[in-house]
Amino acid sequence: MTWPEAVRELVDLRAFGKCEYCLLDQADAGFPHQIDHVISRKHGGTSHPDNLALACYLCNRYKGSDIASIHPGSSELVRLFHPRQDRWAEHFRIVGPVIEPLTDIGAATARVLRLNLPARVIERKLLQTLDRYAKA
Ligand SMILES: [Zn+2]
């Protein structure tokens, strides 16, 4: 999808150029960050900025049109993290190079978006040594 320049700029600036799911800085990504429909269009989400988030290529790819997942313990439906309505630090924390979920929402999001795939953790560890990624 091609976005109007003003929308792209708003989403970039609002997120300080970082993926709103894994916090990877756009400057450190191999592919440009993308604009994610937090609630995908097929689920009725709009292209209003309140439903848009900056996402790195991998987070956006793994999230796809998903908006929820199944809690592994209770089998209940758990919605994914919503960058416009939720605070990142309430649902996740950084432990070493790992993004550790703090809530069911964080756990569902980390699983669906594969936030802690070994290659992603290694990349974060490297970025931390370069002071390019937050440290715990
Ligand atoms: Zn990401």
Side-chain angles (χ1 to χ4, degrees):
M1 179 163 183
T2 304
W3 293 94
E5 191 57 36
V7 172
R8 173 83 207 185
E9 193 174 303
L10 181 150
V11 172
D12 279 353
L13 290 174
R14 185 174 61 190
F16 302 102
K18 292 183 182 194
C19 173
E20 296 188 73
Y21 296 100
C22 75
L23 309 184
L24 178 68
D25 195 298
Q26 200 154 226
D28 299 319
F31 295 96
H33 284 8
Q34 303 174 337
I35 296 179
D36 167 53
H37 284 92
V38 180
I39 304 299
S40 54
R41 294 164 77 190
K42 82 174 186 189
H43 292 293
T46 71
S47 295
H48 187 279
D50 288 349
N51 189 46
L52 301 177
L54 192 65
C56 71
Y57 174 79
L58 286 178
C59 283
N60 203 28
R61 178 170 157 228
Y62 290 130
K63 180 174 175 284
S65 62
D66 290 350
I67 57 173
S69 187
I70 304 295
H71 188 282
S74 67
S75 298
E76 288 194 19
L77 191 66
V78 180
R79 71 175 174 85
L80 298 183
F81 175 72
H82 192 306
R84 298 280 70 75
Q85 296 171 9
D86 300 321
R87 289 190 54 246
W88 196 92
E90 285 178 12
H91 296 282
F92 310 95
R93 68 176 179 171
I94 296 166
V95 178
V98 171
I99 296 175
E100 187 177 278
L102 299 171
T103 62
D104 288 351
I105 288 169
T109 305
R111 189 175 57 248
V112 171
L113 276 61
R114 303 182 196 180
L115 295 179
N116 291 309
L117 277 180
R120 300 184 85 180
V121 171
I122 290 166
E123 178 183 47
R124 248 176 250 137
K125 199 171 190 173
L126 174 63
L127 290 170
Q128 286 173 326
T129 65
L130 301 170
D131 288 326
R132 297 288 310 159
Y133 192 88
K135 290 178 190 162

